[in-house]
Amino acid sequence: MIDNMRKNMKFILGIVVICFVGMIVFSWGMRISGTGGQHRPHFLGKVNGVKISYRQFQQSLRRVYQQEKERSGAEPDIDRLREQTWNDIVRQILLSQALKEEKIAVSNTELITYMRNNPPQFVREQKALQDSSGNFDFARYQQFLDDPATYRNSNAKQFLLYLEQYVARSLQLQKLQERILGTVKVTEPEVREHYVDQNEKVKVSYIFAGPDMFRDSEVKVDQDEIKRYYEQHKQEFREGEKRRCKFVVWEKRPSVADEEAVRVEAETVAAEIREGANFDELAKELSDDDATASKGGDLGWFGRGQMVEAFEKAAFALKTGQISDPVKTPFGWHIIKLVARKKEAGEEKIRASHILFKVEPSQKTLETLRKEAEDFISSAQKEGFQAATKARGLEIKDTGFFSKDGYIPGIGRAKSLVEFAFKSDPGEISPVYENRTGFWVLQLEEKKEAGIRPLEEVGADIKRKLEEEQRRERAEQTLEKAAALLKEGASLEEAAEAVSLEVKTAGPFSRSDYLPDIGTKNQFVSAAFRLQPGETSGIISTDRGYYIIKVLEKHPIDEKDFQAQKEEIRKKLLSQRQYEAYSSWLANLKQRAKIVDNRHYFYGE
């Protein structure tokens, strides 16, 4: 058995290398170039003084990238994975620091007992520790731990060292969680309240008056009212400092040479298929259509009008089993194979497969675009931004004013460009900024210091706000007339008719249900459960408008059903509160931490 372990040790150590040592650095990722004197720090981030190196981050990112790609079979969203990886690394550092601060230790007895009786999943997945059916063999694992030869083998010892560290860390985190969550409780009244919220129900009739009932012509706001509101609420219009830039962009579009290279590749593959190569296997290997590649390019059955024109024309012209010449569509170049043809309800339908070759900018094209952007900067610094742009036939665009939140209109989230804008003087030119859509160069155009926005900028917003307030007042006045009639003895239907409103019904509904045209867990719902059948409310205000309701039916809870479900409800509430408590503790830990995030220097985020 130990001999088998030694033979398989390279495989076993694969998981150690992945989980513990990490993988080699890889080269994809957006970046800021060094042009223009942009200084890039020596580390990607820092958490309470603990540095995160670029290499360490790339290793983790590649691991997550590969796992996601294997799981989904599609190309992952690299921006999302980059954010996920950052958050994971920050969290692990904070947890390690918390374990030290809380002085949480694990004894040898605890470690050995847990390791022997609760082998982690990555151990269970090792083929050397599985039986002939591929199931984890607990006896074989115990034998591996007990055999003296295990501890004389350097590879096996390294594996066990990692296993001990992994289990020790898991036990420490488990103890930390128990300490954090030890005070989280759920009481019997809380369980009952949850059940009642879900199961006690009420049915009502109601009338509603909202601001949307009144046309623009029915509300009037003059300039004096707008000015008066502005003077009385100036602090509402205070804003931080802002910047405005003009920019040019070199979009990442494939060149004529890129287009031709993909066309030639498609023609070469089509020729291979005609000479006997397997279409399905090549589709799985080469197709850029993530939705169909794993199925050999199978598109299923479709009729006319379901595909883009060029694809449809080529596909319907084929004979069964025939392969098309490469076909160009907005999606790229396609090789199409007609699988079958049939008539369905008088309509001709075909089943086809395809291999898609997307046309994307090559590395050479991207390097050319970057070089053009860098050359533009050199010219702009000598001749001026406007002149350099005109000489190259480029279009200048304007960002408008933007704040420090990281978002620039026309470009998107770009921390490094925001940093450039807020540290530079008007006229200064940025380094080349690269993201997934292009290469960008900015010139700072104007600074706006922090202060109160002028009336000219906010007047239209104030007018809309005052008009909305007038509409709500009109709606409330309408229901006040109805409420007065109800006090005089009129029915809800009579009062509604007198003010030209409609009586509607809702329910039966619980406190947690969502009600169309009403909402959820608001004043309407609260009032409905306070009233008894036959009682009518006063005017109820919500963010949608005003209501008067009358309770028609009330359905109490089933006590026997509550008794049968209460333990399950308690467990669910406890689990939810524990999750919330742990998330809150972790968020607080992160908020108190001193975190330096330099990702934008490395990826152009």
Side-chain angles (χ1 to χ4, degrees):
M1 187 275 177
I2 291 300
D3 289 338
N4 289 334
M5 285 294 301
R6 292 193 185 105
K7 291 176 183 177
N8 289 285
M9 195 51 64
K10 283 188 178 180
F11 179 83
I12 291 175
L13 284 175
I15 192 72
V16 177
V17 173
I18 290 173
C19 295
F20 189 55
V21 180
M23 300 182 72
I24 61 170
V25 176
F26 63 114
S27 61
W28 45 260
M30 304 304 176
R31 62 195 184 279
I32 284 280
S33 77
T35 306
Q38 179 79 11
H39 173 67
R40 194 164 82 172
H42 298 297
F43 56 91
L44 186 132
K46 194 187 291 186
V47 182
N48 291 331
V50 176
K51 290 183 179 179
I52 303 169
S53 70
Y54 175 72
R55 179 183 176 85
Q56 172 192 356
F57 185 82
Q58 287 289 88
Q59 288 171 344
S60 298
L61 182 56
R62 179 172 181 115
R63 183 166 63 250
V64 173
Y65 170 86
Q66 290 181 330
Q67 290 170 349
E68 179 73 10
K69 191 168 185 178
E70 289 173 6
R71 183 191 64 79
S72 66
E75 189 65 25
D77 180 346
I78 190 62
D79 290 335
R80 179 181 61 81
L81 293 187
R82 195 177 287 144
E83 185 67 20
Q84 175 186 322
T85 302
W86 168 259
N87 289 332
D88 286 345
I89 291 175
V90 169
R91 183 170 57 251
Q92 291 305 317
I93 292 173
L94 289 173
L95 286 172
S96 294
Q97 292 172 343
L99 291 174
K100 288 182 180 179
E101 187 177 332
E102 295 290 331
K103 297 179 180 177
I104 294 176
V106 175
S107 69
N108 286 337
T109 301
E110 289 175 312
L111 177 62
I112 294 169
T113 301
Y114 192 93
M115 192 168 73
R116 293 187 69 88
N117 297 315
N118 302 278
Q121 186 61 31
F122 73 84
V123 173
R124 294 174 177 272
E125 291 173 353
Q126 302 310 307
K127 291 183 178 179
L129 298 174
Q130 295 174 350
D131 59 24
S132 58
S133 301
N135 298 315
F136 178 68
D137 190 330
F138 195 78
R140 186 176 295 189
Y141 173 63
Q142 296 292 324
Q143 183 183 350
F144 170 67
L145 295 176
D146 292 336
D147 194 324
T150 299
Y151 302 89
R152 294 194 296 269
N153 182 284
S154 59
N155 288 337
K157 284 174 66 177
Q158 187 177 352
F159 177 76
L160 285 174
L161 176 63
Y162 171 70
L163 177 58
E164 286 180 7
Q165 291 173 334
Y166 179 92
V167 170
R169 169 82 171 188
S170 299
L171 285 172
Q172 283 181 305
L173 290 174
Q174 183 179 315
K175 287 186 174 187
L176 177 62
Q177 280 193 341
E178 288 171 355
R179 187 174 295 182
I180 296 166
L181 305 179
T183 58
V184 178
K185 307 291 181 186
V186 176
T187 65
E188 180 84 11
E190 289 171 332
V191 174
R192 176 175 287 276
E193 181 183 358
H194 179 83
Y195 182 85
V196 168
D197 284 350
Q198 300 284 330
N199 294 279
E200 185 179 28
K201 297 196 173 182
V202 68
K203 182 177 181 180
V204 302
S205 58
Y206 68 93
I207 55 176
F208 168 74
D212 293 341
M213 293 168 51
F214 304 96
R215 300 185 298 273
D216 290 347
S217 60
E218 297 180 78
V219 293
K220 292 182 180 179
V221 176
D222 60 36
Q223 196 61 32
D224 287 341
E225 289 178 275
I226 294 172
K227 187 175 181 181
R228 187 162 52 250
Y229 183 93
Y230 177 76
E231 293 297 332
Q232 293 173 354
H233 301 84
K234 275 191 173 181
Q235 292 307 314
E236 291 181 12
F237 307 108
R238 181 173 292 280
E239 64 177 2
E241 58 180 319
K242 291 191 172 184
R243 298 292 185 267
R244 182 171 71 86
C245 295
K246 54 188 178 185
F247 66 90
V248 289
V249 57
W250 290 260
E251 294 182 5
K252 289 182 175 179
R253 293 177 177 171
S255 66
V256 174
D258 294 335
E259 180 81 46
E260 179 62 14
V262 175
R263 185 191 65 78
V264 169
E265 181 186 8
E267 286 186 345
T268 302
V269 173
E272 290 177 8
I273 294 169
R274 292 193 183 97
E275 291 172 4
N278 186 287
F279 185 99
D280 291 357
E281 291 303 317
L282 286 175
K284 291 176 182 177
E285 179 185 347
L286 301 175
S287 181
D288 291 325
D289 183 350
D290 294 332
T292 66
S294 62
K295 299 181 288 186
D298 185 13
L299 292 162
W301 292 95
F302 57 90
R304 294 185 183 275
Q306 292 181 251
M307 299 291 181
V308 293
E309 185 178 354
F311 189 98
E312 177 187 293
K313 184 177 179 181
F316 275 87
L318 295 172
K319 297 177 181 178
T320 301
Q322 188 178 4
I323 304 297
S324 74
D325 290 329
V327 177
K328 182 69 168 67
T329 76
F331 301 101
W333 288 92
H334 308 255
I335 303 171
I336 307 169
K337 176 182 178 182
L338 185 63
V339 178
R341 190 185 296 267
K342 70 177 180 179
K343 287 271 188 180
E344 188 175 283
E347 180 189 3
E348 183 183 21
K349 290 194 172 184
I350 62 173
R351 183 172 183 175
S353 298
H354 81 137
I355 302 174
L356 171 65
F357 299 87
K358 289 183 180 178
V359 182
E360 295 177 334
S362 64
Q363 189 61 38
K364 182 178 179 181
T365 297
L366 295 178
E367 289 171 359
T368 299
L369 291 172
R370 173 177 281 279
K371 181 69 164 54
E372 288 178 9
E374 290 170 344
D375 290 346
F376 169 84
I377 291 175
S378 298
S379 298
Q381 288 171 338
K382 295 174 185 175
E383 309 162 15
F385 199 89
Q386 187 85 22
T389 304
K390 187 176 180 180
R392 289 164 173 75
L394 298 170
E395 179 186 2
I396 294 181
K397 296 182 180 180
D398 197 301
T399 64
F401 282 102
F402 58 89
S403 61
K404 284 184 175 180
D405 66 359
Y407 182 83
I408 302 178
I411 300 175
R413 294 214 166 271
K415 292 180 182 178
S416 57
L417 290 183
V418 171
E419 186 174 278
F420 155 77
F422 279 85
K423 286 185 176 180
S424 302
D425 293 320
E428 288 191 43
I429 298 171
S430 75
V432 177
Y433 170 80
E434 179 187 355
N435 64 13
R436 66 173 64 188
T437 61
F439 298 90
W440 312 71
V441 176
L442 279 67
Q443 183 178 50
L444 181 60
E445 186 74 5
E446 187 178 353
K447 291 183 176 183
K448 183 189 284 188
E449 300 306 324
I452 294 172
R453 297 171 66 188
L455 178 59
E456 294 74 24
E457 282 187 16
V458 300
D461 293 335
I462 293 174
K463 184 180 179 184
R464 282 191 292 271
K465 180 181 178 68
L466 294 177
E467 286 175 343
E468 179 69 9
E469 288 179 357
Q470 283 192 20
R471 289 189 179 93
R472 284 188 67 89
E473 288 173 8
R474 295 285 297 273
E476 187 175 20
Q477 289 166 5
T478 300
L479 276 202
E480 284 173 350
K481 293 176 184 177
L485 291 171
L486 288 168
K487 284 184 179 179
E488 294 172 4
S491 66
L492 188 63
E493 288 73 19
E494 291 168 339
E497 185 178 359
V499 294
S500 302
L501 295 177
E502 178 187 357
V503 176
K504 298 181 179 180
T505 59
F509 58 88
S510 74
R511 287 176 176 82
S512 59
D513 287 339
Y514 175 82
L515 306 176
D517 302 322
I518 296 170
T520 184
K521 297 182 179 178
N522 57 20
Q523 295 91 331
F524 181 103
V525 175
S526 298
F529 280 93
R530 283 197 305 269
L531 297 170
Q532 296 303 314
E535 291 183 340
T536 302
S537 74
I539 297 175
I540 300 165
S541 173
T542 76
D543 56 358
R544 301 188 183 212
Y546 300 91
Y547 302 83
I548 295 176
I549 67 177
K550 179 180 179 180
V551 174
L552 303 176
E553 303 170 6
K554 209 161 190 179
H555 305 280
I557 66 169
D558 182 334
E559 189 63 35
K560 287 185 178 179
D561 186 61
F562 168 65
Q563 294 299 327
Q565 292 195 42
K566 70 177 185 179
E567 183 56 27
E568 192 62 34
I569 294 171
R570 189 194 68 78
K571 290 178 181 177
K572 179 181 176 182
L573 289 177
L574 181 62
S575 176
Q576 180 182 326
R577 289 190 182 180
Q578 287 177 334
Y579 173 79
E580 291 170 353
Y582 186 74
S583 298
S584 176
W585 175 85
L586 202 56
N588 184 53
L589 196 66
K590 189 173 181 180
Q591 188 176 10
R592 290 187 288 109
K594 292 181 180 179
I595 298 175
V596 178
D597 183 357
N598 290 327
R599 283 178 292 164
H600 54 282
Y601 288 106
F602 294 83
Y603 300 106
E605 293 178 339

